[in-house]
Every structure is written in structure tokens, then in C-alpha cells.
Amino acid sequence: LHIPGEHNVLNAAAACAAAMQSGASPEDCVRGLDHFHGAGRRFEVLGRPGGITVADDYGHHPTEIGAVLKAAKALPFKRVWAVHQPFTFSRTYTLMDDFARVLGLADRVVLSEIMGGREKNVYGVCASQLAEKIPGCRWFPAFDEISDYVAGQAEPGDLILTLGCGDVNKCAHLIVEKLQKKYGLSEKH
């Protein structure tokens, strides 16, 4: 597979089983898997400026985030950064300890403010409360601040992984741009 993670191995095995049940040969399955390089916003690598890998993932539930971070930690990166945008006040409030546990798998954690989506904050919850539960976690209200901090602190060999179903992918693109400027690279790097 061209994508990391035990969860992707299990998905590939299930896809092959279904394809073979429908008449595909094992060789067809191998060819299909060889051509599959992942889905958009699922550990999608956006760039590698200055030897720093920046990827984006749609994971926004503790189970998804845990699977992605475990896959990332199994790869040969120097450090794994989790840049997470919590989504909905109710989920953040209800699953705060679960979020803290799985985000704590990363070497560095940075949070944005919660994207409320369709909800009003009747819980009085904010991302800084989650940040307090994760040792060394940093919290910033805006993507510009996050991207400045991460681009300034990341080192060659690191993986910066943005996580969330909101618009945190915009932050990933900002990080790529700031790293390109930092290292004097063109957009193609």
C-alpha cells in the first residue's frame, strides 16, 4: 500500500475480498491497490518543504485521530505534530478526555479554537480547556498564529499533520507556504 496505517491494511483486505467475490482476480486486486494513493484529506501529503512533511487528515473523532496518529508514529519521522481543529462544542465537551488521550500520542500538539458548525456553545467549552489536559500543548485562536508558530518550530524530519473536518486544511496550506518562504523554496518543493 502507498498509505500508512493498520486501518488502511484492513480496509484494503476488505476491498480485495469484496472485489474477488464480485469476480476480480487477485492480480486485479494487486494492480488496483498499487494505483491507489489514498483519498483526499486522508493523510494527504501537501508538501515537504525543507524536509518537513505537511499532511492533512479529515479525522475529527478520537477513534479516527488515534488511528492516524498511531500510523504516523510508526513511520520514520523525527517528531509528529498534531494540529487539531476541534469540531462542534458538544463533541469537544463530551469527548474531551478522549481527545486529550489520543492527541497526546503526538510529540507536539497545537489546537485551534473549536469550529462550532451548526451549534451554539451552550456548554461553555473552549479549546484552551482541552489544551490544558495535554502536556506541552499550545493553543491559538487563528490559523495565521498557528502556522507562524508551527513553521517557526518545526525541524527537518518532522511530520506536521493537520486534523479535523472543518477548514483546518487551510492552516496546512498556510504552513506549507510559510515553510517554503522560510527555506527559500518555490511552490513545487
Side-chain angles (χ1 to χ4, degrees):
L1 292 178
H2 300 284
I3 51 177
E6 183 179 324
H7 60 292
N8 285 316
V9 171
L10 296 173
N11 287 342
C16 285
M20 289 171 60
Q21 185 69 23
S22 299
S25 71
E27 294 78 16
D28 293 334
C29 292
V30 169
R31 274 192 303 280
L33 291 175
D34 188 48
H35 291 326
F36 182 69
H37 291 270
R41 296 216 60 212
R42 289 295 187 189
F43 214 115
E44 180 180 5
V45 175
L46 302 176
R48 292 183 174 90
I52 299 167
T53 302
V54 181
D56 178 55
D57 194 276
Y58 187 80
H60 57 282
H61 185 277
T63 303
E64 295 168 329
I65 293 169
V68 148
L69 288 175
K70 285 176 187 170
K73 292 291 287 183
L75 297 171
F77 291 105
K78 181 177 171 183
R79 296 181 301 184
V80 173
W81 290 71
V83 177
H84 177 58
Q85 179 187 44
F87 184 72
T88 72
F89 303 110
S90 60
R91 180 180 293 135
T92 305
Y93 177 80
T94 304
L95 301 176
M96 187 171 298
D97 289 338
D98 294 324
F99 279 116
R101 179 181 45 79
V102 297
L103 287 166
L105 295 171
D107 299 300
R108 301 284 187 273
V109 181
V110 180
L111 299 177
S112 74
E113 192 48 80
I114 300 165
M115 180 180 226
R118 65 197 174 275
E119 296 181 342
K120 292 183 180 176
N121 190 0
V122 298
Y123 303 92
V125 66
C126 59
S128 63
Q129 293 167 325
L130 175 56
E132 290 172 5
K133 293 179 171 277
I134 305 167
C137 182
R138 299 292 305 261
W139 168 85
F140 298 95
F143 290 158
D144 274 339
E145 294 170 286
I146 292 171
S147 58
D148 284 341
Y149 174 77
V150 173
Q153 298 293 315
E155 300 172 358
D158 285 358
L159 167 67
I160 301 165
L161 184 60
T162 56
L163 297 157
C165 66
D167 59 354
V168 71
N169 58 321
K170 293 177 183 175
C171 187
H173 290 285
L174 283 173
I175 292 168
V176 169
E177 289 172 18
K178 290 180 182 190
L179 287 171
Q180 287 169 338
K181 287 179 185 172
K182 177 180 178 178
Y183 290 102
L185 302 170
S186 69
E187 290 184 24
K188 295 180 182 179
H189 287 88

